[in-house]
Amino acid sequence: MDFALTQEEKELAERAREFTREYITPRAHELERRNEFPMEVVQKAYEVGLMNLHIPEEAGGPGMSLLAETLVSEATGYGCAGIATSIMCNNLAFAPLVIAATIDQLKEYVQPLITGKKVQFGAFCLTERKAGSDVASVATTAVRDGDEYIMNGVKCFITNAPQASLFTVFASTQPELRHKGLSVFMVPKTKGVKIGHVENKMGQLNSVQSEVVFKDVRVPAECLVGKEGEGFKIAMMTLDKTRAGIAAIATGVAQRALDEAARFANIRHQFGRPIGKFQGIGFMLAAMGARASAARLLTRYAAWLADHNMPVSKHSAFAKFFASDAAMQNAIDAVQIMGGYGYLTEYPVEKLVRDAKLLQIYEGTNQIQRLVAGNAILKESVDLDTGFHVEYPGRDAPLF
Ligand code: COS
């Protein structure tokens, strides 16, 4: 595998890093204290071309790769995981549409949102109070009525919902069929769509999550994406791709924790020398560096597999759980290395701990990722007599 980035990817990554240095890192703490959606920063990210990268050219987007998106998410995640989530969330909202909508649907419903002067938002509405990990338990319904569907239900923990003008909603068209009865709809903000309770969180305060209430919403039948009953598979195919984006934000957090800890370990003197010169600290820095690098490699490999239309479930699960665990561990280690200073809110690392925790939870808990990866490994298991894979989904996929 060639690890070199293309010229376009290098330029994009540099633009994202510059943007982060100028607009995110210096303001992340101050914005966090306001505890509101960081609209000016996200608007700027939109203006400099860091959003909606995967929308195909035929629908007005740049048609870039998943790898390109991960470069932006790592760079912005380095500055602030919450702001990175706010910037990245359109990727999640629009991914099911890029996967399963027709070009005409994309042109009509997505293109106007990504080509204006003002940034606009989509929101991915899957989770409900009683349907988190267990997607098949979605209770929101969409009942066909002539050339419309009538939608009822309540979604929760929906990122960017208060800002959104288009909702990608997973609803049951045949509840008795459980996962085979789920369908996906594009729902513009219209009569009957209301924002409910806005969540108060421990971290990622620069991103906003809320309930979305659908009460007798009349959704035109043309807003059904794919066919009735395809919603569960579309959700899984979406998450297979977007989890690399979370892994990328996590890589940014893991790297930031390392950089802050290393800087401190160089300048903080105790017992007549920089504390980094003590093996106890040096070994911690080494492990933190290895974690950040491994997280980056797993993330880019997952994105590369998806970009080459190869099976990606297992590797996006690896990337998501490994990178977010790395972010969490590195953040905790950075606080430890910085001692009392690490625990103070005027230093950046306590925020990394609070932000990293959510990375282990959203877009599928790390336990769900291990379940997905474990199941994939069982399916690929090798017949010890012949040496052939029993059921290997990607014979052409290069081994990592
Ligand atoms: N791509 C395509 N199809 C997939 C798939 C994938 N990655 N994963 C599963 N499917 C298909 C299966 O092949 C199966 O198809 P059939 O019914 O035709 O046989 C169907 O989907 C059901 O699969 P499975 O039995 O594995 O589903 P489970 O209900 O056991 O759930 C998990 C599987 C737990 C992995 C899934 O529900 C999940 O990812 N949950 C986490 C959801 C999540 O991330 N929530 C966070 C909120 S989103 S921000």
Side-chain angles (χ1 to χ4, degrees), residues 8 63 110 322 325 336 378:
E8 189 187 35
V110 178
F322 185 89
D325 286 351
Q336 193 65 28
L378 288 175

Side-chain angles (χ1 to χ4, degrees), residues 113-281:
L113 303 187
I114 63 161
T115 46
K117 281 210 159 74
K118 219 169 146 259
V119 61
Q120 300 224 44
F121 300 93
F124 181 84
C125 301
L126 178 62
T127 301
E128 299 179 1
R129 293 278 171 216
K130 292 186 180 168
S133 298
D134 182 8
V135 173
S137 289
V138 160
T140 297
T141 52
V143 178
R144 183 92 191 213
D145 181 32
D147 54 5
E148 291 176 326
Y149 287 85
I150 302 174
M151 185 175 281
N152 279 289
V154 182
K155 299 287 177 178
C156 66
F157 302 150
I158 306 304
T159 301
N160 286 0
Q163 290 72 36
S165 42
L166 186 70
F167 299 85
T168 304
V169 186
F170 292 82
S172 197
T173 38
Q174 275 190 284
E176 66 285 3
L177 295 185
R178 299 265 305 157
H179 78 272
K180 286 186 193 292
L182 266 191
S183 304
V184 56
F185 298 86
M186 302 174 290
V187 183
K189 187 145 193 198
T190 180
K191 195 163 161 250
V193 180
K194 293 222 163 57
I195 299 305
H197 175 70
V198 178
E199 310 294 351
N200 292 308
K201 311 192 300 295
M202 135 187 189
Q204 295 214 15
L205 303 182
N206 286 321
S207 75
V208 172
Q209 286 75 20
S210 77
E211 284 181 332
V212 188
V213 182
F214 299 91
K215 176 96 177 69
D216 293 329
V217 180
R218 293 203 156 262
V219 182
E222 65 169 39
C223 290
L224 173 69
V225 177
K227 297 198 186 81
E228 276 192 21
E230 288 183 346
F232 189 92
K233 284 199 179 173
I234 295 171
M236 292 302 117
M237 289 162 76
T238 297
L239 295 169
D240 276 352
K241 292 196 166 187
T242 56
R243 282 169 180 159
I246 303 297
I249 297 179
T251 303
V253 172
Q255 186 66 47
R256 175 74 182 275
L258 171 67
D259 292 351
E260 295 290 348
R263 191 166 70 107
F264 187 89
N266 264 324
I267 57 176
R268 170 77 172 166
H269 284 68
Q270 291 288 275
F271 306 104
R273 68 178 91 162
I275 60 168
K277 292 290 180 197
F278 291 104
Q279 270 190 348
I281 302 292

Side-chain angles (χ1 to χ4, degrees), residues 81-82 84-86 88 157 159 201 204 207 209 239 243 245-247 249-250 320 324 355-366 369:
T85 297
S86 299
M88 192 190 69
F157 302 150
T159 301
K201 311 192 300 295
Q204 295 214 15
S207 75
Q209 286 75 20
L239 295 169
R243 282 169 180 159
I246 303 297
I249 297 179
K320 201 276 184 184
S324 56
D355 287 355
K357 191 63 217 156
L358 188 52
L359 297 165
Q360 294 178 305
I361 296 171
Y362 65 3
E363 277 198 53
T365 63
N366 282 7
Q369 307 308 319

